[in-house]
Every structure is written in C-alpha cells, then in structure tokens.
Short mmCIF file of all heavy atoms in Angstrom, two decimals:
data_model
loop_
_atom_site.label_atom_id
_atom_site.label_comp_id
_atom_site.label_asym_id
_atom_site.label_seq_id
_atom_site.Cartn_x
_atom_site.Cartn_y
_atom_site.Cartn_z
N MET A 1 13.35 0.38 -0.91
CA MET A 1 13.23 -0.91 -0.22
C MET A 1 14.42 -1.79 -0.57
O MET A 1 14.89 -1.77 -1.69
CB MET A 1 11.92 -1.60 -0.63
CG MET A 1 10.73 -0.97 0.05
SD MET A 1 9.21 -1.81 -0.34
CE MET A 1 8.94 -1.19 -1.99
N PRO A 2 14.86 -2.53 0.40
CA PRO A 2 16.03 -3.38 0.16
C PRO A 2 15.72 -4.59 -0.69
O PRO A 2 15.01 -5.49 -0.29
CB PRO A 2 16.45 -3.82 1.58
CG PRO A 2 15.22 -3.72 2.40
CD PRO A 2 14.37 -2.65 1.76
N ILE A 3 16.23 -4.59 -1.86
CA ILE A 3 16.06 -5.73 -2.76
C ILE A 3 17.44 -6.36 -2.98
O ILE A 3 18.33 -5.74 -3.50
CB ILE A 3 15.46 -5.30 -4.09
CG1 ILE A 3 14.06 -4.72 -3.88
CG2 ILE A 3 15.38 -6.51 -5.04
CD1 ILE A 3 13.40 -4.26 -5.15
N TYR A 4 17.54 -7.61 -2.55
CA TYR A 4 18.80 -8.29 -2.68
C TYR A 4 18.77 -9.24 -3.84
O TYR A 4 17.73 -9.77 -4.20
CB TYR A 4 19.14 -9.06 -1.41
CG TYR A 4 19.32 -8.16 -0.21
CD1 TYR A 4 18.49 -8.24 0.88
CD2 TYR A 4 20.38 -7.26 -0.19
CE1 TYR A 4 18.67 -7.42 1.96
CE2 TYR A 4 20.56 -6.43 0.90
CZ TYR A 4 19.70 -6.51 1.97
OH TYR A 4 19.88 -5.69 3.06
N GLU A 5 19.90 -9.43 -4.41
CA GLU A 5 20.02 -10.34 -5.56
C GLU A 5 20.61 -11.64 -5.07
O GLU A 5 21.63 -11.70 -4.40
CB GLU A 5 20.92 -9.71 -6.63
CG GLU A 5 21.01 -10.57 -7.87
CD GLU A 5 21.84 -9.89 -8.94
OE1 GLU A 5 22.15 -8.71 -8.78
OE2 GLU A 5 22.14 -10.53 -9.93
N TYR A 6 19.93 -12.73 -5.44
CA TYR A 6 20.38 -14.04 -5.01
C TYR A 6 20.74 -14.89 -6.21
O TYR A 6 20.26 -14.66 -7.31
CB TYR A 6 19.25 -14.74 -4.21
CG TYR A 6 19.06 -14.15 -2.82
CD1 TYR A 6 18.21 -13.08 -2.62
CD2 TYR A 6 19.70 -14.71 -1.73
CE1 TYR A 6 18.04 -12.54 -1.36
CE2 TYR A 6 19.54 -14.19 -0.47
CZ TYR A 6 18.69 -13.10 -0.27
OH TYR A 6 18.52 -12.56 0.97
N ALA A 7 21.56 -15.85 -5.93
CA ALA A 7 21.94 -16.81 -6.96
C ALA A 7 21.76 -18.23 -6.40
O ALA A 7 22.32 -18.55 -5.36
CB ALA A 7 23.39 -16.60 -7.39
N CYS A 8 20.97 -19.02 -7.07
CA CYS A 8 20.71 -20.36 -6.64
C CYS A 8 21.94 -21.24 -6.92
O CYS A 8 22.48 -21.21 -8.01
CB CYS A 8 19.48 -20.93 -7.33
SG CYS A 8 19.13 -22.63 -6.84
N GLU A 9 22.32 -21.99 -5.92
CA GLU A 9 23.47 -22.85 -6.10
C GLU A 9 23.03 -24.20 -6.65
O GLU A 9 23.86 -25.05 -6.99
CB GLU A 9 24.19 -23.04 -4.77
CG GLU A 9 24.76 -21.74 -4.22
CD GLU A 9 25.47 -21.98 -2.89
OE1 GLU A 9 25.43 -23.11 -2.40
OE2 GLU A 9 25.99 -21.00 -2.35
N GLY A 10 21.71 -24.42 -6.71
CA GLY A 10 21.23 -25.71 -7.21
C GLY A 10 21.08 -25.69 -8.71
O GLY A 10 21.62 -26.58 -9.39
N CYS A 11 20.35 -24.68 -9.23
CA CYS A 11 20.11 -24.66 -10.66
C CYS A 11 20.83 -23.50 -11.31
O CYS A 11 20.82 -23.37 -12.55
CB CYS A 11 18.60 -24.59 -10.94
SG CYS A 11 17.81 -23.08 -10.35
N GLY A 12 21.41 -22.63 -10.51
CA GLY A 12 22.18 -21.54 -11.08
C GLY A 12 21.35 -20.34 -11.48
O GLY A 12 21.81 -19.45 -12.17
N LYS A 13 20.08 -20.34 -11.03
CA LYS A 13 19.22 -19.23 -11.40
C LYS A 13 19.47 -18.03 -10.50
O LYS A 13 19.64 -18.20 -9.30
CB LYS A 13 17.75 -19.66 -11.27
CG LYS A 13 16.78 -18.54 -11.62
CD LYS A 13 15.37 -19.02 -11.48
CE LYS A 13 14.38 -17.90 -11.80
NZ LYS A 13 14.57 -17.37 -13.15
N ASP A 14 19.51 -16.87 -11.11
CA ASP A 14 19.68 -15.67 -10.31
C ASP A 14 18.37 -14.91 -10.26
O ASP A 14 17.67 -14.76 -11.27
CB ASP A 14 20.79 -14.78 -10.88
CG ASP A 14 20.57 -14.48 -12.35
OD1 ASP A 14 19.86 -15.27 -13.00
OD2 ASP A 14 21.09 -13.48 -12.82
N PHE A 15 18.02 -14.47 -9.07
CA PHE A 15 16.76 -13.79 -8.90
C PHE A 15 16.88 -12.72 -7.83
O PHE A 15 17.87 -12.66 -7.11
CB PHE A 15 15.68 -14.80 -8.51
CG PHE A 15 15.99 -15.55 -7.23
CD1 PHE A 15 15.46 -15.14 -6.03
CD2 PHE A 15 16.81 -16.66 -7.27
CE1 PHE A 15 15.74 -15.84 -4.85
CE2 PHE A 15 17.10 -17.35 -6.10
CZ PHE A 15 16.57 -16.93 -4.89
N GLU A 16 15.86 -11.87 -7.77
CA GLU A 16 15.86 -10.82 -6.78
C GLU A 16 14.79 -11.06 -5.75
O GLU A 16 13.69 -11.55 -6.09
CB GLU A 16 15.68 -9.46 -7.44
CG GLU A 16 16.84 -9.10 -8.37
CD GLU A 16 16.58 -7.75 -9.02
OE1 GLU A 16 15.45 -7.26 -8.98
OE2 GLU A 16 17.55 -7.18 -9.57
N GLU A 17 15.08 -10.75 -4.53
CA GLU A 17 14.13 -10.96 -3.47
C GLU A 17 14.01 -9.71 -2.64
O GLU A 17 15.02 -9.09 -2.27
CB GLU A 17 14.55 -12.15 -2.60
CG GLU A 17 13.50 -12.60 -1.62
CD GLU A 17 12.35 -13.32 -2.31
OE1 GLU A 17 12.54 -13.89 -3.39
OE2 GLU A 17 11.25 -13.30 -1.74
N LEU A 18 12.77 -9.35 -2.34
CA LEU A 18 12.53 -8.17 -1.50
C LEU A 18 12.61 -8.59 -0.04
O LEU A 18 11.82 -9.42 0.41
CB LEU A 18 11.19 -7.55 -1.83
CG LEU A 18 10.77 -6.41 -0.90
CD1 LEU A 18 11.74 -5.23 -1.01
CD2 LEU A 18 9.35 -5.97 -1.20
N ILE A 19 13.55 -7.99 0.65
CA ILE A 19 13.71 -8.34 2.05
C ILE A 19 13.16 -7.21 2.92
O ILE A 19 13.75 -6.14 3.00
CB ILE A 19 15.19 -8.58 2.40
CG1 ILE A 19 15.76 -9.69 1.51
CG2 ILE A 19 15.35 -8.95 3.86
CD1 ILE A 19 15.08 -11.02 1.65
N VAL A 20 12.02 -7.47 3.49
CA VAL A 20 11.40 -6.45 4.37
C VAL A 20 11.97 -6.57 5.76
O VAL A 20 12.40 -5.61 6.38
CB VAL A 20 9.88 -6.60 4.39
CG1 VAL A 20 9.25 -5.54 5.29
CG2 VAL A 20 9.33 -6.50 2.97
N ARG A 21 11.95 -7.79 6.24
CA ARG A 21 12.52 -8.07 7.55
C ARG A 21 13.79 -8.88 7.42
O ARG A 21 14.00 -9.58 6.45
CB ARG A 21 11.51 -8.85 8.41
CG ARG A 21 10.28 -8.04 8.73
CD ARG A 21 9.34 -8.85 9.60
NE ARG A 21 8.11 -8.12 9.91
CZ ARG A 21 7.12 -8.62 10.64
NH1 ARG A 21 7.22 -9.85 11.13
NH2 ARG A 21 6.06 -7.91 10.89
N ARG A 22 14.61 -8.74 8.47
CA ARG A 22 15.87 -9.49 8.43
C ARG A 22 15.63 -10.99 8.48
O ARG A 22 16.42 -11.78 7.99
CB ARG A 22 16.74 -9.06 9.61
CG ARG A 22 18.14 -9.66 9.59
CD ARG A 22 18.98 -9.01 10.66
NE ARG A 22 19.30 -7.64 10.28
CZ ARG A 22 20.38 -7.30 9.55
NH1 ARG A 22 21.18 -8.23 9.11
NH2 ARG A 22 20.63 -6.06 9.26
N ALA A 23 14.50 -11.40 9.07
CA ALA A 23 14.19 -12.80 9.18
C ALA A 23 13.82 -13.40 7.83
O ALA A 23 13.81 -14.61 7.66
CB ALA A 23 13.08 -13.03 10.19
N ASP A 24 13.48 -12.52 6.90
CA ASP A 24 13.07 -13.03 5.56
C ASP A 24 14.26 -13.63 4.82
O ASP A 24 14.08 -14.41 3.88
CB ASP A 24 12.47 -11.89 4.77
CG ASP A 24 11.13 -11.49 5.30
OD1 ASP A 24 10.55 -12.24 6.11
OD2 ASP A 24 10.65 -10.40 4.96
N GLU A 25 15.42 -13.24 5.24
CA GLU A 25 16.59 -13.74 4.53
C GLU A 25 16.74 -15.25 4.71
O GLU A 25 17.29 -15.95 3.87
CB GLU A 25 17.86 -13.06 5.03
CG GLU A 25 17.91 -11.59 4.67
CD GLU A 25 19.28 -10.98 4.96
OE1 GLU A 25 20.24 -11.34 4.29
OE2 GLU A 25 19.36 -10.18 5.87
N ALA A 26 16.26 -15.74 5.85
CA ALA A 26 16.40 -17.18 6.14
C ALA A 26 15.34 -17.98 5.39
O ALA A 26 15.42 -19.19 5.34
CB ALA A 26 16.28 -17.42 7.62
N GLU A 27 14.35 -17.28 4.83
CA GLU A 27 13.28 -18.00 4.14
C GLU A 27 13.33 -17.82 2.65
O GLU A 27 12.41 -18.12 1.93
CB GLU A 27 11.94 -17.51 4.66
CG GLU A 27 11.75 -17.77 6.15
CD GLU A 27 10.38 -17.30 6.62
OE1 GLU A 27 9.63 -16.76 5.80
OE2 GLU A 27 10.08 -17.48 7.79
N VAL A 28 14.46 -17.28 2.19
CA VAL A 28 14.60 -17.09 0.77
C VAL A 28 14.86 -18.41 0.10
O VAL A 28 15.74 -19.18 0.50
CB VAL A 28 15.76 -16.12 0.49
CG1 VAL A 28 16.00 -16.02 -1.02
CG2 VAL A 28 15.45 -14.75 1.06
N ALA A 29 14.03 -18.69 -0.91
CA ALA A 29 14.20 -19.94 -1.65
C ALA A 29 14.18 -19.63 -3.14
O ALA A 29 13.60 -18.64 -3.59
CB ALA A 29 13.09 -20.91 -1.29
N CYS A 30 14.78 -20.51 -3.89
CA CYS A 30 14.82 -20.33 -5.34
C CYS A 30 13.43 -20.51 -5.92
O CYS A 30 12.73 -21.48 -5.62
CB CYS A 30 15.78 -21.36 -5.95
SG CYS A 30 15.78 -21.30 -7.76
N PRO A 31 12.96 -19.56 -6.70
CA PRO A 31 11.62 -19.64 -7.30
C PRO A 31 11.52 -20.71 -8.36
O PRO A 31 10.43 -21.08 -8.78
CB PRO A 31 11.42 -18.24 -7.91
CG PRO A 31 12.78 -17.75 -8.17
CD PRO A 31 13.68 -18.33 -7.09
N ALA A 32 12.63 -21.19 -8.81
CA ALA A 32 12.62 -22.21 -9.87
C ALA A 32 12.58 -23.62 -9.29
O ALA A 32 11.73 -24.42 -9.66
CB ALA A 32 13.87 -22.03 -10.75
N CYS A 33 13.49 -23.90 -8.35
CA CYS A 33 13.58 -25.26 -7.82
C CYS A 33 13.28 -25.29 -6.33
O CYS A 33 13.37 -26.34 -5.72
CB CYS A 33 14.97 -25.84 -8.10
SG CYS A 33 16.32 -25.00 -7.22
N ARG A 34 12.92 -24.14 -5.77
CA ARG A 34 12.57 -24.06 -4.35
C ARG A 34 13.67 -24.53 -3.45
O ARG A 34 13.43 -25.07 -2.37
CB ARG A 34 11.28 -24.89 -4.10
CG ARG A 34 10.11 -24.53 -4.99
CD ARG A 34 9.77 -23.08 -4.88
NE ARG A 34 9.35 -22.73 -3.51
CZ ARG A 34 9.08 -21.50 -3.11
NH1 ARG A 34 9.20 -20.49 -3.96
NH2 ARG A 34 8.70 -21.25 -1.89
N SER A 35 14.86 -24.32 -3.86
CA SER A 35 15.98 -24.75 -3.05
C SER A 35 16.39 -23.61 -2.11
O SER A 35 16.31 -22.43 -2.44
CB SER A 35 17.15 -25.13 -3.95
OG SER A 35 18.29 -25.44 -3.16
N ARG A 36 16.83 -23.99 -0.93
CA ARG A 36 17.28 -23.01 0.04
C ARG A 36 18.78 -22.71 -0.11
O ARG A 36 19.31 -21.88 0.59
CB ARG A 36 17.03 -23.54 1.45
CG ARG A 36 15.54 -23.66 1.79
CD ARG A 36 14.89 -22.29 1.93
NE ARG A 36 13.50 -22.38 2.35
CZ ARG A 36 13.14 -22.43 3.64
NH1 ARG A 36 14.05 -22.42 4.58
NH2 ARG A 36 11.87 -22.50 3.96
N GLN A 37 19.37 -23.46 -1.00
CA GLN A 37 20.81 -23.25 -1.22
C GLN A 37 21.00 -22.08 -2.16
O GLN A 37 21.30 -22.21 -3.33
CB GLN A 37 21.46 -24.52 -1.80
CG GLN A 37 21.40 -25.70 -0.87
CD GLN A 37 22.27 -25.52 0.37
OE1 GLN A 37 23.20 -24.75 0.36
NE2 GLN A 37 21.91 -26.22 1.45
N VAL A 38 20.82 -20.90 -1.58
CA VAL A 38 21.03 -19.69 -2.37
C VAL A 38 22.06 -18.81 -1.70
O VAL A 38 22.23 -18.85 -0.48
CB VAL A 38 19.67 -18.91 -2.51
CG1 VAL A 38 18.68 -19.74 -3.31
CG2 VAL A 38 19.14 -18.53 -1.18
N SER A 39 22.74 -18.07 -2.49
CA SER A 39 23.76 -17.19 -1.97
C SER A 39 23.43 -15.76 -2.38
O SER A 39 23.06 -15.50 -3.52
CB SER A 39 25.13 -17.61 -2.49
OG SER A 39 25.16 -17.56 -3.90
N ARG A 40 23.55 -14.88 -1.42
CA ARG A 40 23.21 -13.50 -1.72
C ARG A 40 24.38 -12.81 -2.42
O ARG A 40 25.52 -12.99 -2.09
CB ARG A 40 22.89 -12.73 -0.43
CG ARG A 40 22.19 -11.44 -0.68
CD ARG A 40 21.82 -10.77 0.60
NE ARG A 40 23.00 -10.22 1.29
CZ ARG A 40 22.93 -9.60 2.47
NH1 ARG A 40 21.79 -9.47 3.07
NH2 ARG A 40 24.02 -9.14 3.03
N ARG A 41 24.00 -12.05 -3.43
CA ARG A 41 25.02 -11.34 -4.17
C ARG A 41 24.92 -9.87 -3.89
O ARG A 41 23.86 -9.34 -3.59
CB ARG A 41 24.85 -11.61 -5.67
CG ARG A 41 24.87 -13.09 -6.01
CD ARG A 41 24.49 -13.32 -7.44
NE ARG A 41 25.44 -12.70 -8.38
CZ ARG A 41 25.31 -12.72 -9.69
NH1 ARG A 41 24.28 -13.32 -10.22
NH2 ARG A 41 26.19 -12.14 -10.45
N MET A 42 26.05 -9.23 -3.99
CA MET A 42 26.06 -7.79 -3.75
C MET A 42 25.52 -7.06 -4.96
O MET A 42 26.05 -7.17 -6.06
CB MET A 42 27.49 -7.31 -3.46
CG MET A 42 28.00 -7.80 -2.12
SD MET A 42 26.98 -7.08 -0.77
CE MET A 42 27.78 -7.88 0.63
N SER A 43 24.46 -6.34 -4.70
CA SER A 43 23.82 -5.62 -5.80
C SER A 43 23.86 -4.12 -5.51
O SER A 43 23.20 -3.63 -4.61
CB SER A 43 22.38 -6.07 -5.98
OG SER A 43 21.80 -5.38 -7.07
N ARG A 44 24.67 -3.44 -6.25
CA ARG A 44 24.78 -1.99 -6.06
C ARG A 44 24.44 -1.29 -7.36
O ARG A 44 25.31 -1.12 -8.23
CB ARG A 44 26.20 -1.62 -5.63
CG ARG A 44 26.52 -2.08 -4.20
CD ARG A 44 25.86 -1.15 -3.19
NE ARG A 44 26.22 -1.59 -1.82
CZ ARG A 44 25.81 -0.93 -0.76
NH1 ARG A 44 25.06 0.12 -0.86
NH2 ARG A 44 26.14 -1.36 0.43
N PRO A 45 23.19 -0.90 -7.53
CA PRO A 45 22.79 -0.23 -8.75
C PRO A 45 23.36 1.18 -8.85
O PRO A 45 23.34 1.94 -7.89
CB PRO A 45 21.25 -0.15 -8.62
CG PRO A 45 20.99 -0.27 -7.16
CD PRO A 45 22.09 -1.08 -6.60
N ALA A 46 23.84 1.48 -10.02
CA ALA A 46 24.38 2.83 -10.29
C ALA A 46 25.44 3.20 -9.28
O ALA A 46 25.49 4.28 -8.79
CB ALA A 46 23.25 3.85 -10.28
N ALA A 47 26.31 2.27 -9.00
CA ALA A 47 27.38 2.57 -8.08
C ALA A 47 28.54 1.61 -8.35
O ALA A 47 28.32 0.42 -8.51
CB ALA A 47 26.93 2.44 -6.64
N THR A 48 29.71 2.11 -8.34
CA THR A 48 30.87 1.27 -8.60
C THR A 48 31.89 1.50 -7.51
O THR A 48 32.21 2.64 -7.17
CB THR A 48 31.49 1.56 -9.96
OG1 THR A 48 31.78 2.96 -10.07
CG2 THR A 48 30.54 1.19 -11.08
N ARG A 49 32.37 0.44 -6.97
CA ARG A 49 33.38 0.53 -5.91
C ARG A 49 34.77 0.46 -6.52
O ARG A 49 35.07 -0.50 -7.24
CB ARG A 49 33.18 -0.59 -4.91
CG ARG A 49 32.05 -0.31 -3.94
CD ARG A 49 31.98 -1.40 -2.87
NE ARG A 49 30.99 -1.09 -1.83
CZ ARG A 49 31.28 -0.34 -0.75
NH1 ARG A 49 32.50 0.12 -0.61
NH2 ARG A 49 30.39 -0.11 0.16
N THR A 50 35.56 1.45 -6.23
CA THR A 50 36.89 1.44 -6.78
C THR A 50 37.92 1.15 -5.69
O THR A 50 39.10 1.13 -5.95
CB THR A 50 37.18 2.79 -7.42
OG1 THR A 50 36.98 3.83 -6.46
CG2 THR A 50 36.28 3.06 -8.60
N GLY A 51 37.48 0.97 -4.48
CA GLY A 51 38.39 0.65 -3.42
C GLY A 51 38.63 1.83 -2.48
O GLY A 51 39.07 1.68 -1.37
N ALA A 52 38.27 3.00 -2.94
CA ALA A 52 38.45 4.17 -2.10
C ALA A 52 37.25 4.31 -1.14
O ALA A 52 36.13 4.33 -1.56
CB ALA A 52 38.57 5.42 -2.95
N ALA A 53 37.55 4.36 0.14
CA ALA A 53 36.50 4.44 1.13
C ALA A 53 36.35 5.88 1.61
O ALA A 53 36.39 6.16 2.79
CB ALA A 53 36.80 3.49 2.29
N SER A 54 36.19 6.75 0.68
CA SER A 54 36.01 8.14 1.07
C SER A 54 34.53 8.41 1.34
O SER A 54 33.68 7.66 0.91
CB SER A 54 36.52 9.08 -0.05
OG SER A 54 35.83 8.80 -1.24
N GLY A 55 34.26 9.47 2.05
CA GLY A 55 32.90 9.77 2.42
C GLY A 55 32.10 10.24 1.22
O GLY A 55 31.48 9.45 0.52
N ALA A 56 32.08 11.51 1.00
CA ALA A 56 31.33 12.01 -0.13
C ALA A 56 32.05 13.22 -0.71
O ALA A 56 32.66 14.00 0.01
CB ALA A 56 29.93 12.41 0.29
N GLY A 57 32.01 13.31 -2.02
CA GLY A 57 32.67 14.42 -2.67
C GLY A 57 34.16 14.19 -2.75
O GLY A 57 34.82 13.95 -1.74
N GLY A 58 34.67 14.18 -3.93
CA GLY A 58 36.10 13.98 -4.08
C GLY A 58 36.45 13.90 -5.54
O GLY A 58 35.55 13.76 -6.38
N PRO A 59 37.70 13.97 -5.81
CA PRO A 59 38.14 13.89 -7.20
C PRO A 59 38.02 12.48 -7.73
O PRO A 59 38.05 11.52 -6.96
CB PRO A 59 39.64 14.31 -7.11
CG PRO A 59 40.04 13.92 -5.71
CD PRO A 59 38.80 14.13 -4.86
N PRO A 60 37.82 12.36 -9.00
CA PRO A 60 37.74 11.05 -9.62
C PRO A 60 39.05 10.31 -9.45
O PRO A 60 40.10 10.91 -9.29
CB PRO A 60 37.44 11.34 -11.09
CG PRO A 60 37.93 12.74 -11.30
CD PRO A 60 37.72 13.43 -9.99
N PRO A 61 38.96 8.98 -9.49
CA PRO A 61 40.17 8.15 -9.24
C PRO A 61 41.19 8.26 -10.36
O PRO A 61 42.29 7.79 -10.23
CB PRO A 61 39.60 6.72 -9.16
CG PRO A 61 38.32 6.77 -9.90
CD PRO A 61 37.78 8.17 -9.70
N ARG A 62 40.79 8.90 -11.43
CA ARG A 62 41.72 9.03 -12.54
C ARG A 62 42.69 10.19 -12.32
O ARG A 62 42.28 11.31 -12.11
CB ARG A 62 40.96 9.25 -13.85
CG ARG A 62 40.20 7.98 -14.30
CD ARG A 62 39.55 8.20 -15.63
NE ARG A 62 38.82 7.00 -16.08
CZ ARG A 62 38.13 6.97 -17.21
NH1 ARG A 62 38.08 8.03 -18.00
NH2 ARG A 62 37.48 5.86 -17.54
N CYS A 63 43.93 9.90 -12.32
CA CYS A 63 44.94 10.93 -12.13
C CYS A 63 45.88 10.94 -13.34
O CYS A 63 46.38 9.92 -13.76
CB CYS A 63 45.76 10.68 -10.86
SG CYS A 63 44.77 10.82 -9.35
N GLY A 64 46.06 12.09 -13.85
CA GLY A 64 46.96 12.17 -15.01
C GLY A 64 47.10 13.61 -15.45
O GLY A 64 46.31 14.48 -15.04
N PRO A 65 48.07 13.85 -16.23
CA PRO A 65 48.30 15.21 -16.74
C PRO A 65 47.17 15.66 -17.68
O PRO A 65 46.81 14.91 -18.59
CB PRO A 65 49.63 15.12 -17.47
CG PRO A 65 49.76 13.65 -17.84
CD PRO A 65 49.04 12.90 -16.75
N VAL A 66 46.66 16.82 -17.44
CA VAL A 66 45.59 17.34 -18.27
C VAL A 66 46.07 18.58 -19.01
O VAL A 66 46.65 19.47 -18.42
CB VAL A 66 44.34 17.69 -17.40
CG1 VAL A 66 43.26 18.29 -18.28
CG2 VAL A 66 43.85 16.45 -16.69
N GLY A 67 45.85 18.60 -20.26
CA GLY A 67 46.26 19.77 -21.01
C GLY A 67 47.56 19.48 -21.62
O GLY A 67 48.45 20.01 -21.89
ZN1 ZN B 1 17.23 -23.09 -8.16
#
C-alpha cells in the first residue's frame, strides 16, 4: 500500500500517511497541529537512487580496478 511520508511546515513534524485514493492527498493534515501546510517527501525504503535510470539488472556504479 502506498504510504507517503509528509513533513509539516507548521510545526516541523514528520509523519506517514496511508494514501488509498488520490483524493486523500488533499486531505492530509498534520496529526500534531492539524495544519494542511504539509509537504510530501520522497520515501523510498530499501532503495537508493544513484542517478542511473537503468531498468533492471546491471553492474554496480562502482568502477575500478579489481585484483
Ligand atoms: Zn504540524
């Protein structure tokens, strides 16, 4: 299930919200101060972007002489 990470711009609290429908994004409010001024953060668990937009399967980004 899509769980997005939000950061409140009012109190600075970061929280996670389960977004079932796309319309739920407009109703996301801070659980601490109930503020709508929240910004969604990119949450990619167990994944790191190195800039390479390759599909799947490939050598690691580390290149160097081995041996
Ligand atoms: Zn807040």
